[in-house]
Structure formats: structure tokens, C-alpha cells
Amino acid sequence: MIRIEDLEFRYGEGEFRLRVPELQVEARTATACIGPSGSGKTTLLNLIAGITTPQKGRIVTHDTDVTSLSDERRRSFRIKTIGLVFQEFELLEYLTVLDNIMLPYRINPALRLDSRVRERAISLAEKMGIGDKLGRHPGKLSQGERQRVAVCRAVLPEPVLLLTDEPTGNLDPANKGLVLDIILDYARENDATLITVTHDHDLLARFDTVIDIKEFAVIGEGAGRQGGGTPQ
Amino acid sequence: MRQTLYLAWRYLSYHRVKTLILLVSITLIIYLPIGLRVLVDQSSQQLTARAAATPLIVGAKGSPLELVLNTLYFRSDYPEIMRYEQVTRVTDADLAIAIPMYVRFNAQGHPIVGTGYEYFEYRGLDIVDGRQLGMLGECVVGSRVAEALDVGPGDFVISSPESVFDLAGVYPLKMRVAGVLGFSDTADDDAIFVDVRTTWIIEGLGHGHQDLSRPEAASVVLTRDSTNVVGSAAVVQYNEITEDNIESFHFHGDISQNPVTAVIALPPDQKSSALLQGRYQGEDEPAQIVRPVNVMNELLGTILSVQSFITAGAVIVGMATLATAALVFMLSLRLRRREIETLFKIGGSRLSVASVMTSEIIAVLLAGVILAGGLTFLTGQFGSAAIRAFIRM
């Protein structure tokens, strides 16, 4: 479960502020986060993941208060507990598909790379239809294939929380459905909590809950409103 | 650490052209000044070793460097010629052993060194095939000459004319190879040694021709009286000295006036050396006496100051290249900011991410150092041989 209490966040001295008095996302649910561009959807994901820290308030992710952790511990917590998928895939061009999938195991000693992990990475890639492209570099893959590699990378450490930031934003309709299926299937099969930022309202029916970030964003002093999650 | 190095390796091998350029630049930055230093040190050592082993050289007044280079290394234009009486002068002074040197001619690209038997003993040169010089017109060849010309005892080498237009002077002399010297890794390996009188024959100061007193030579005799016989142009001149015709070879004029290029003087002690040097200090003195080691040190001093300039230049270029390499690394980090952010976002530890970036730089630097070290080692091993080969070209 993710619980946010009395959270306030702003970038420097800018006018944008995110104010979340209270928000709760149940474990093992699929939640969509919607809202206009610049309203703070990605910021909310970053806060939940501990990538950025709020000026005020608490974020408890699966019983861990991420706001109280040191930077290094937040990173270790994130790499073990949270899988992240980005709109731009963010694959490393100089690594092969297999190396990209296993990347989390090479950049933090909290995860240990062994033959079992390697076998799991290969079987995951096969399951996602990219098993024959393990030796290729991302530059030689289609958009849909790249995003599948990014999803494999996010789920390989078997995270209990999957945060995906517009994972289908750059995909054609066929790949959009396929990638969303993969993400939702993983979440359901592994009892993971899923929060997905999306602009695509056609996809909302596939989620258990929808958060409208407009409820929390404040542009300019005194212009904001306060709100909470909207169950569907 | 293994994972960090793996990622660094993947990055470097994927960007192999960039990596190669950086590697070559860094290798050259490190190697150029060090390699140059090793090369100069070796050359200096080699040049001074032979010079240090030669106590004194007497020669006609002129360039001391030319005199030393010609006498020790059989290179450069031949120095001012002096008379053979200068050899006798050293001997008569009873202060040193005198070894005549006449290094002027060559045969098929190899210098002909006219000298005496003492030279071989003094330089510690042994015959490994054949025998020592036995008669006028014979030669012994250095090991590299034997190899290059593919000659051995019983074969012949022919002296080269100095000029095709010099019809009256130097003419080719066919010299029989008596023996081959052992390899000494010095200039002696590239030389053809003959008795100094043989060089005079090459120069035309001595010659051999058919005996005009014999009845069969009557047809080439123009006039004959009790003291003189005048032959015609049809008199047969020999261009090879054999046991059959050696008796006909003779020198005209005063032998003491015949030419030599230098005298190597071997005084038995410091005192004799000092006394001998004192005898050549007069203002009207036609000859000079030099200590080869001093001449070579002066030359090396010039080379070393040139080397200092080259080293300074290499250091400046190196610093500029290093600054460029640093800029390349910084720009590369800037270009990879998004990648670094991704690594941070998915949970990469600060240490691991920083290690990946620094490992790449360290790997390139280390590879550069190792390559430069290897090149320096090779320079140390083969540099002097390469220089000698280059000099011989």
C-alpha cells in the first residue's frame, strides 16, 4: 500500500506546487494517474519512488517511509522494490538487449547478478517476444520492442511496485495494447501494485483506480484546490 | 567492481573509434618524450663508447668532427688529407702506438679502410672465416659486408671509382677477400679493411704493369737506354694483385708524402698522452690532435639541447592533448547526463554510477600508459638497432 500524508512539494522558487493532504493507493491494484501536461503526474511518481523528496509530508511505500531514508538507502530501496518504465524507454544504446534488461543488477550492489537472474532475464525476454533479439543494441529495435525491453528491465528484480510514466505514449496502437497487457499481466501475476501515468483516457477502463492530479496541483499562490483519489 | 568494469568495457567497445583516438593520443603523449629520451640516451652511449675507446686522433687541421666521424665511424666526407710522415712522427716521438687510417674509398657502398695490423688487435677484431691480410691487394671484410655482398674468403670485391671522369686517378682494384671478421656491432662490421698501401694503389700512387725488361714486352717499348725504359700506352696495367704479378707493383715518389686521413694514437699512459698533445699546439702546426670523446660530447651536447627543445615541444603538445582529452571526457559526461539520470532514477548507487564513468577514463588512461610502456620497452630493446639501420641507409 502507498500512503501519502500532508505532502507539499515545489521546484525551487517556481510557482508550481503539489499539495497532497492525503492519498492512499491500495496494494495489488492498478491505478491510472491522469491530468493535463505540467500538472505534476511525473512529479508524483518521482515522489513515490523517492527520486525527489518533498519539502513537507510523508510518503510510505510498502511500509517504508521513503521520506525518512537517506539518499543511498532510497536508491537501494527503489532498485529492489520499485520497477520504473519511462515514456522514452531510457535504454542504454551501448548495451545489448540482454545487458539492458540486467542493468539494475550492475549498478547497485543491493542486487546480486547470478546465473539464475540471467536465466530469468532470458525467459522474461522470450515471454515478451524479444527472445531472439537479446544480442542486439536498442538502435536496431522498433519502438514497441524497445519499450518491451524497458518493461523487462523494470520487472526483472521482481518489484512489488511498478511505476510507469506514459509507457504507451510513443507507441502505435498495436504495440500500445501489447505493452499495457504485459504491464498489467505482470502486476496481476506478481501481486504488484501498479501506478501508470497516462494521457490516454481510452485505457482508463483497464485500471482499478484513477487519480486525477488536477486535484493536487497548485499553480500560483492561493489558486489551488485540495482533493483525493477517485475510485472507479 | 566486476559489473562496473563490464559496463565501462561495453561503453568503450561500443564507441571504439572515439576510444581508439583517445587511446592513441594518450599513448603518444606519454611515449614521445620518454621514448625520445631512451633513444637519445642509447645513441649517446653508443657514440661515446667507441669514442671513449679511442684515446687520440691526429689529423690535418680542419673540422675535428669530420675527422672523428671519418676515423671512428668511417662516415662523413673524408677530412683534410695529411702525409704519411705524420704517422712516422707519432711513432718516432715514442709516446704512442700509431695506427694509420686512410678512409676515403669505397667498394659497392662499403667504406674501404686502409690501416695496419695493429688496428685489428686494438679493436679486438678476430677473423672468424679465412685468415688475416697476407699480401698487398687483399682485404678482410666486416660481418655485415660479408652478408650484404655475399662474399667470403677467396671471393673478390672491387673498389668503386671516385668519379667516372677521373681517368688518370682512382681506378677499380679487384681485391681478394682473405677473411671475414666476427660481428662486433660497431662500424667495423660495415667496413672493408685493407693495408694502407693498397689504398694508395687504388689512388694510383702505386701500380703494377708488365715487365718491360722482358723480351716479350719489346713491342710496347718506345725507347730504351741504360737507365730508362719508356713504354707505350699499350703496356698492360694490372687491376688485380696476384702472387704472379705482385713483384711488379711499386710506388713512385717518397712514401712519406703519401696520403692518410688520420692516425689513431694509443699512448700507454696519461703522461705520454699529455706530452703528445703538447706537440701539436704550435701555431704553424699543420696537424691537429683531438680527443674523440671530447668531440663527441660536444656533438651530443648539441643533440641534447635539440632534444630538450623537442621534449619541451612534446610536453606542450602533450598538455594541449591532455586538455583536449579532458574536454572530450567532460563533453561525453554532459552528453551522457540523461543516461546518468536514468541510472539514478532506477536506483543506481552513486558510487556505482560514478565508478562506471571513472572506470572508462581510468581504463583509457591505463591502456595508454601500458601501450606507451610497451613502446618504450621496444625502443629500449630495438631502438639502437633501428637507429644503426637508419644511419646505414
Side-chain angles (χ1 to χ4, degrees):
Chain A
M1 186 175 73
I2 298 160
R3 201 171 68 248
I4 298 175
E5 296 167 2
D6 198 21
L7 179 137
E8 266 195 44
F9 175 80
R10 75 161 71 188
Y11 287 108
E13 295 300 311
E15 288 191 335
F16 172 80
R17 274 197 294 160
L18 194 65
R19 191 180 290 159
V20 186
E22 191 177 359
L23 177 68
Q24 203 161 295
V25 177
E26 293 301 323
R28 295 178 288 281
T29 58
T31 302
C33 180
I34 58 167
S37 296
S39 57
K41 301 184 292 295
T42 302
T43 304
L44 182 65
L45 283 197
N46 287 344
L47 285 163
I48 294 170
I51 294 167
T52 45
T53 48
Q55 279 80 23
K56 193 180 158 203
R58 257 163 52 102
I59 302 167
V60 179
T61 303
H62 288 269
D63 300 328
T64 302
D65 181 356
V66 290
T67 48
S68 68
L69 297 177
S70 67
D71 177 64
E72 207 52 43
R73 290 189 67 186
R74 272 205 314 277
R75 288 164 190 263
S76 296
F77 171 76
R78 190 156 67 238
I79 208 153
K80 285 193 291 189
T81 319
I82 304 171
L84 284 150
V85 181
F86 310 96
Q87 183 180 1
E88 298 291 340
F89 325 130
E90 309 298 352
L91 301 175
L92 270 51
E93 58 163 355
Y94 57 88
L95 295 182
T96 60
V97 165
L98 184 60
D99 283 334
N100 262 296
I101 293 172
M102 296 192 299
L103 182 63
Y105 288 83
R106 299 194 194 275
I107 56 170
N108 195 317
L111 295 178
R112 195 168 159 272
L113 182 61
D114 55 28
S115 57
R116 284 191 306 119
V117 172
R118 195 183 169 82
E119 281 163 20
R120 213 170 63 239
I122 293 168
S123 98
L124 206 54
E126 280 166 357
K127 197 174 159 191
M128 299 220 187
I130 49 171
D132 57 337
K133 296 177 174 67
L134 292 174
R136 287 196 196 175
H137 286 89
K140 303 277 182 191
L141 301 177
S142 70
Q143 298 282 82
E145 287 167 341
R146 283 185 219 176
Q147 192 59 302
R148 277 182 268 167
V149 176
V151 173
C152 285
R153 180 181 67 190
V155 303
L156 184 66
E158 297 174 324
V160 290
L161 173 60
L162 203 53
L163 301 177
T164 65
D165 190 356
E166 299 192 48
T168 57
N170 277 337
L171 303 180
D172 57 72
N175 274 306
K176 197 180 280 189
L178 180 68
V179 168
L180 192 63
D181 284 345
I182 290 169
I183 292 171
L184 286 166
D185 286 350
Y186 170 81
R188 282 177 192 134
E189 285 167 17
N190 295 277
D191 287 336
T193 308
L194 170 68
I195 301 177
T196 297
V197 165
T198 182
H199 273 117
D200 195 340
H201 285 243
D202 293 342
L203 303 175
L204 296 185
R206 304 188 63 179
F207 292 88
D208 305 317
T209 314
V210 174
I211 298 170
D212 189 348
I213 199 75
K214 269 193 308 188
E215 304 292 325
F216 307 112
V218 179
I219 312 292
E221 208 49 56
R225 290 188 298 141
Q226 293 182 354
T230 310
Q232 276 229 322
Chain B
M1 192 63 193
R2 209 172 118 224
Q3 307 304 338
T4 300
L5 291 176
Y6 178 80
L7 289 179
W9 163 245
R10 298 306 306 174
Y11 181 84
L12 293 174
S13 58
Y14 185 78
H15 298 99
R16 54 181 75 93
V17 175
K18 188 180 95 175
T19 305
L20 195 68
I21 292 170
L22 274 173
L23 189 59
V24 169
S25 311
I26 289 165
T27 303
L28 288 179
I29 291 166
I30 300 166
Y31 169 69
L32 279 179
I34 301 173
L36 193 67
R37 180 90 214 173
V38 170
L39 221 52
V40 169
D41 284 352
Q42 282 191 339
S43 315
S44 313
Q45 215 175 343
Q46 271 214 326
L47 283 171
T48 46
R50 196 162 164 91
T54 312
L56 293 168
I57 294 176
V58 177
K61 278 204 168 154
S63 161
L65 182 62
E66 219 166 57
L67 175 66
V68 170
L69 288 179
N70 179 268
T71 308
L72 296 188
Y73 308 104
F74 318 134
R75 295 192 61 81
S76 91
D77 288 341
Y78 62 89
E80 295 291 322
I81 299 295
M82 63 178 186
R83 301 293 157 204
Y84 188 73
E85 64 190 5
Q86 291 294 342
V87 182
T88 320
R89 182 181 166 191
V90 174
T91 310
D92 291 348
D94 206 20
L95 292 168
I97 296 168
I99 304 174
M101 299 293 284
Y102 194 29
V103 187
R104 173 175 171 178
F105 307 109
N106 66 76
Q108 291 155 274
H110 298 276
I112 296 172
V113 178
T115 186
Y117 291 108
E118 307 89 337
Y119 184 84
F120 302 100
E121 194 182 331
Y122 158 62
R123 291 283 188 215
L125 299 171
D126 294 323
I127 301 286
V128 291
D129 192 12
R131 57 167 173 77
Q132 249 303 354
L133 296 170
M135 59 181 260
L136 207 60
E138 283 187 338
C139 65
V140 291
V141 297
S143 58
R144 275 197 287 258
V145 175
E147 197 183 316
L149 302 182
D150 193 22
V151 291
D155 294 330
F156 292 91
V157 289
I158 299 170
S159 69
S160 310
E162 274 190 321
S163 160
V164 288
F165 304 111
D166 186 16
L167 300 176
V170 178
Y171 67 98
L173 181 69
K174 192 175 174 186
M175 297 174 290
R176 189 172 178 278
V177 177
V180 176
L181 295 170
F183 179 69
S184 63
D185 200 18
T186 64
D188 296 325
D189 296 333
D190 291 302
I192 297 165
F193 294 91
V194 296
D195 186 276
V196 69
R197 290 172 300 159
T198 304
T199 52
W200 293 338
I201 289 170
I202 294 171
E203 192 169 346
L205 300 173
H207 61 177
H209 49 73
Q210 74 182 112
D211 188 352
L212 299 183
S213 63
R214 295 178 72 86
E216 58 266 31
S219 62
V220 295
V221 173
L222 294 175
T223 60
R224 186 194 299 267
D225 58 30
S226 57
T227 54
N228 269 329
V229 179
V230 179
S232 73
V235 174
V236 176
Q237 290 226 18
Y238 303 119
N239 66 350
E240 179 189 346
I241 304 170
T242 64
E243 282 174 3
D244 296 332
N245 69 18
I246 190 165
E247 292 303 325
S248 76
F249 272 83
H250 53 276
F251 293 94
H252 294 277
D254 182 0
I255 293 279
S256 70
Q257 295 306 303
N258 279 356
V260 287
T261 46
V263 183
I264 293 178
L266 309 174
D269 49 45
Q270 288 287 337
K271 186 182 168 191
S272 306
S273 172
L275 286 172
L276 189 63
Q277 287 179 72
R279 300 210 174 175
Y280 292 85
Q281 302 306 315
E283 278 186 17
D284 298 334
E285 177 57 53
Q288 63 174 331
I289 189 162
V290 297
R291 281 171 53 83
V293 74
N294 292 351
V295 176
M296 292 316 293
N297 281 340
E298 203 175 316
L299 173 68
L300 288 174
T302 313
I303 292 173
L304 285 173
S305 42
V306 171
Q307 189 225 349
S308 305
F309 284 117
I310 294 171
T311 307
V315 167
I316 292 167
V317 171
M319 282 164 66
T321 316
L322 216 56
T324 311
L327 189 69
V328 169
F329 282 127
M330 279 164 62
L331 285 174
S332 171
L333 282 182
R334 205 169 167 156
L335 285 171
R336 296 174 71 185
R337 203 163 68 184
R338 192 161 159 179
E339 174 194 332
I340 294 168
E341 273 176 22
T342 303
L343 296 179
F344 283 165
K345 277 182 180 174
I346 62 179
S349 77
R350 272 186 195 281
L351 184 66
S352 297
V353 176
S355 300
V356 171
M357 305 296 157
T358 45
S359 298
E360 290 162 14
I361 299 169
I362 290 169
V364 173
L365 287 175
L366 204 65
V369 169
I370 291 168
L371 274 177
L375 283 175
T376 308
F377 175 75
L378 289 177
T379 306
Q381 293 294 307
F382 305 110
S384 62
I387 289 174
R388 283 198 301 276
F390 177 72
I391 289 170
R392 281 199 299 275
M393 275 165 64

